Amino acid sequence: MDAYNELINPHRAGLIKKAAALANEIHKYYPEVPQEELAYEIAVSHCPRYYGAELELTSDMLRWSLAPKQFFPTLLGIYQLSTRLDPTFDTTRLIVKVASTWEGLQACRTLKTYGVRTLATTAFSLEQCILAAEVGCVYVSPFLNELKAALDPDYHDDNPIFDIVVDAQHYYRQHNYPIRLKACAALSVDQILKLAGVDAFTAPADQLQELANMEGPPPQSLFLDEPVDEKSEGKVDDAVNGHANGETNGETNDHANGDANGHANGEPNGEANGHVTKSHGSKKFDKQSFIDDESGYRLAFAKADDGKGQMKTTQASRSNSAP
């Protein structure tokens, strides 16, 4: 559910008033959370329930991702709010989205000790994906394209990160990390199908409809080592449609099947937007650790892809609309 679009509907005016009144009443218990944000979280929690996970995203992701002392109590307060509003609420359904900065991911590390599940969003490099796994995020969300490309129809990202998505998922499998990779920010159905076999995908409704209406075999996935034929078409459809089901504009269904069909079946070969893709299935990744090495992480992140990932992360973190 796109919570904002739901709440601005005129028929939700009564809910907004009730949420504002309740926020004013209980704000003393959550002094670190801005009262307006508290009201918003209350209103969202009273919208119709949907199955699967519920994602919470701080309204000022850049400020809190760079200031962990402020960031941590704010998110913990929002998390605890759910049980105050509904003592029977299953908090395992709640996943907090955090920007993939060093500070944001270290906050995820601390939140995990309180049982708070997190999703690392706005990831553009393998280094960010590795650190997200180390700190205990349950999801990481790499953006295929620079966020600007999704917001500005006249702008084109010449460097979509297909290889990083595939490399990260194989890295997790090889080193037994339970984190799931949820790709997002695809600009076309063709880009989604290139990653059929990824753990999960965030896709807007129009792309899901286009997928549902497709006929004939899809293009080859970068997770597969052989061209897709009619017999295997259903498997690729399952890998895309099964995980995309229920995931619209930044939401994910936590009950989607985690083991995507064909997610690690050998050596995928192919081309992504004209760039020859490496063989991933047989590629071996040395285990790396950044969790207690801030300087090493920052250096590796700055060097990755000539700094493009660092630039894209900063740009996305400054936006409040990150999927």
Side-chain angles (χ1 to χ4, degrees):
M1 178 182 69
D2 186 336
Y4 174 77
N5 287 334
E6 176 66 22
L7 291 175
I8 63 175
N9 284 334
H11 72 279
R12 294 294 183 191
L15 172 60
I16 297 297
K17 290 180 180 179
K18 289 180 180 179
L22 182 55
N24 184 60
E25 178 183 340
I26 68 173
H27 185 246
K28 60 185 177 182
Y29 300 110
Y30 306 96
E32 69 284 343
V33 181
Q35 187 168 326
E36 295 81 3
E37 182 161 347
L38 186 62
Y40 171 81
E41 298 298 339
I42 292 171
V44 169
S45 71
H46 283 78
C47 280
R49 291 291 186 193
Y50 287 79
Y51 293 105
E54 298 188 9
L55 298 180
E56 299 289 348
L57 177 64
T58 59
S59 63
D60 191 342
M61 188 162 36
L62 177 64
R63 175 166 59 88
W64 280 325
S65 65
L66 296 177
K69 289 184 179 180
Q70 300 174 26
F71 176 85
F72 170 73
T74 298
L75 283 185
L76 185 61
I78 291 172
Y79 184 84
Q80 293 171 337
L81 175 65
S82 61
T83 54
R84 176 178 289 274
L85 296 175
D86 180 3
T88 66
F89 181 74
D90 179 8
T91 55
T92 63
R93 291 179 54 200
L94 192 63
I95 300 175
V96 177
K97 296 174 71 174
V98 182
S100 297
T101 61
W102 168 264
E103 293 82 1
L105 292 173
Q106 290 298 327
C108 292
R109 182 183 186 179
T110 306
L111 287 167
K112 186 175 186 293
T113 66
Y114 287 82
V116 180
R117 306 200 320 153
T118 55
L119 176 152
T121 189
T122 60
F124 292 95
S125 72
L126 183 59
E127 289 73 19
Q128 289 169 294
C129 293
I130 291 172
L131 183 56
E134 286 194 280
V135 300
C137 295
V138 296
Y139 282 98
V140 63
S141 191
F143 282 34
L144 285 183
N145 296 277
E146 184 178 345
L147 185 58
K148 183 178 179 180
L151 301 177
D152 182 354
D154 296 325
Y155 182 80
H156 177 70
D157 186 353
D158 294 323
N159 189 38
I161 59 168
F162 292 103
D163 279 354
I164 291 172
V165 172
V166 178
D167 280 351
Q169 186 158 301
H170 283 301
Y171 182 92
Y172 295 155
R173 298 294 188 270
Q174 288 180 22
H175 297 293
N176 299 313
Y177 282 110
I179 187 172
R180 292 175 60 193
L181 195 146
K182 186 173 75 71
C184 70
L187 298 182
S188 68
V189 165
D190 283 345
Q191 288 193 344
I192 293 176
L193 291 173
K194 285 180 183 294
L195 293 176
V198 70
D199 287 334
F201 220 114
T202 298
D206 58 338
Q207 291 181 349
L208 295 179
Q209 187 62 54
E210 188 175 346
L211 283 168
N213 295 336
M214 286 187 65
E215 297 181 358
Q220 178 178 323
S221 167
L222 300 179
F223 280 98
L224 303 176
D225 63 346
E226 295 180 357
V228 177
D229 57 23
E230 297 288 347
K231 294 181 180 180
S232 61
E233 178 183 349
K235 293 183 179 181
V236 176
D237 285 343
D238 289 344
V240 176
N241 296 329
H243 296 297
N245 182 32
E247 302 177 11
T248 306
N249 292 335
E251 298 190 39
T252 182
N253 185 343
D254 198 37
H255 299 294
N257 294 328
D259 293 325
N261 293 324
H263 65 63
N265 294 335
E267 305 173 7
N269 300 302
E271 294 189 357
N273 285 7
H275 301 289
V276 176
T277 302
K278 298 174 291 188
S279 172
H280 298 269
S282 62
K283 185 176 179 180
K284 301 301 180 184
F285 295 92
D286 292 333
K287 191 170 185 178
Q288 301 181 64
S289 180
F290 297 115
I291 190 168
D292 293 315
D293 183 9
E294 181 177 356
S295 61
Y297 170 78
R298 291 190 183 279
L299 181 60
F301 182 37
K303 287 183 176 180
D305 199 17
D306 296 325
K308 292 186 178 68
Q310 189 176 52
M311 178 275 293
K312 292 179 180 181
T313 300
T314 300
Q315 178 195 85
S317 296
R318 291 183 182 279
S319 170
N320 291 332
S321 57

